Amino acid sequence: GGEPTTHPKAMAKLIRHYQHDNRIRFLVYSNGYKIKHIKDLLVEFKDVRLPNGSEKLFYQISYDGYEAHKINRVSESGGSTVEEVRESIRWAVSEKIPFSIKSTINRDTFHLLADCYQDIQDLLGGESKTYFPTIAYLTNIKVTDEDRKRYYKALEGSLIEIAKKEIEFYKKNKRFFFS
């Protein structure tokens, strides 16, 4: 549980202990911030496959898209983590590490969704990946009807803009990027 990169020795010990057990697959969910101490492990296992073809070790990086990430994900000191996480993604692409990007969008960043879509598409540089944002659901939060309408309008506008971009993406690549 928690951020696995804060315990790289424990993570490495578990992976190496079970590396030949085909019943076990490792999914490393990370914020992608300060990952230098797990890079060797990710490289070591990047080509290891299970009998069904799945990767033995799969890496998921939390990245919301440039503008939303700057707002929602900050370091302990309150600074932005966006550049470090973008560098982790670029590194994973260049090393051909099996990975995906996990994006979270909240009501305050609905208006940024189309920009985030484009940022992640550009950052992946043609990799056969998809953009699959999820909405951060907040409960017990009082929202006025006026605010709710504003959030819906922002989300609707972003989705319409993404739909237009998806049509062009599909025409060019014969697959979808948004999922």
Side-chain angles (χ1 to χ4, degrees):
E3 174 57 43
T5 62
T6 60
H7 300 287
K9 290 179 183 174
M11 191 172 73
K13 186 175 181 179
L14 282 168
I15 291 170
R16 288 196 177 98
H17 181 80
Y18 291 102
Q19 69 183 355
H20 300 294
D21 188 331
N22 289 331
R23 300 172 299 168
I24 297 175
R25 181 176 187 222
F26 295 96
L27 306 173
V28 178
Y29 299 103
S30 171
N31 63 18
Y33 183 67
K34 296 186 177 184
I35 65 159
K36 68 179 182 181
H37 48 284
I38 67 162
K39 284 182 172 182
D40 290 343
L41 189 66
L42 293 171
V43 168
E44 179 182 344
F45 284 90
K46 73 180 183 179
D47 296 321
V48 178
R49 298 282 187 266
L50 295 172
N52 69 3
S54 297
E55 300 88 357
K56 180 71 173 182
L57 187 143
F58 189 83
Y59 182 44
Q60 179 178 286
I61 304 168
S62 297
Y63 177 67
D64 304 330
Y66 192 86
E67 293 300 327
H69 199 94
K70 282 192 326 186
I71 294 168
N72 295 324
R73 300 185 192 255
V74 296
S75 67
E76 289 177 334
S77 64
S80 175
T81 64
V82 72
E83 290 304 328
E84 291 87 347
V85 176
R86 288 172 62 82
E87 185 52 39
S88 293
I89 293 167
R90 286 186 201 101
W91 173 83
V93 167
S94 71
E95 291 293 326
K96 300 189 180 338
I97 303 296
F99 80 100
S100 65
I101 294 175
K102 170 68 173 83
S103 297
T104 303
I105 300 297
N106 61 46
R107 63 188 182 181
D108 294 322
T109 57
F110 284 166
H111 68 287
L112 300 171
L113 188 60
D115 292 336
C116 293
Y117 164 96
Q118 190 63 56
D119 173 60
I120 291 172
Q121 191 178 93
D122 294 344
L123 185 59
L124 291 173
E127 280 289 304
S128 294
K129 307 264 185 230
T130 58
Y131 176 53
F132 58 102
T134 58
I135 296 173
Y137 293 98
L138 304 173
T139 58
N140 300 324
I141 304 281
K142 300 253 186 236
V143 177
T144 66
D145 284 339
E146 185 177 305
D147 284 340
R148 186 175 291 111
K149 288 175 186 175
R150 184 171 44 88
Y151 293 137
Y152 286 149
K153 185 174 178 140
L155 181 58
E156 179 183 47
S158 288
L159 290 173
I160 289 169
E161 193 173 331
I162 288 171
K164 292 173 186 175
K165 292 178 179 191
E166 269 298 280
I167 291 168
E168 294 307 312
F169 185 89
Y170 186 84
K171 286 178 182 177
K172 181 179 177 185
N173 300 286
K174 303 298 183 231
R175 70 175 188 87
F176 294 104
F177 183 66
F178 190 76
S179 77

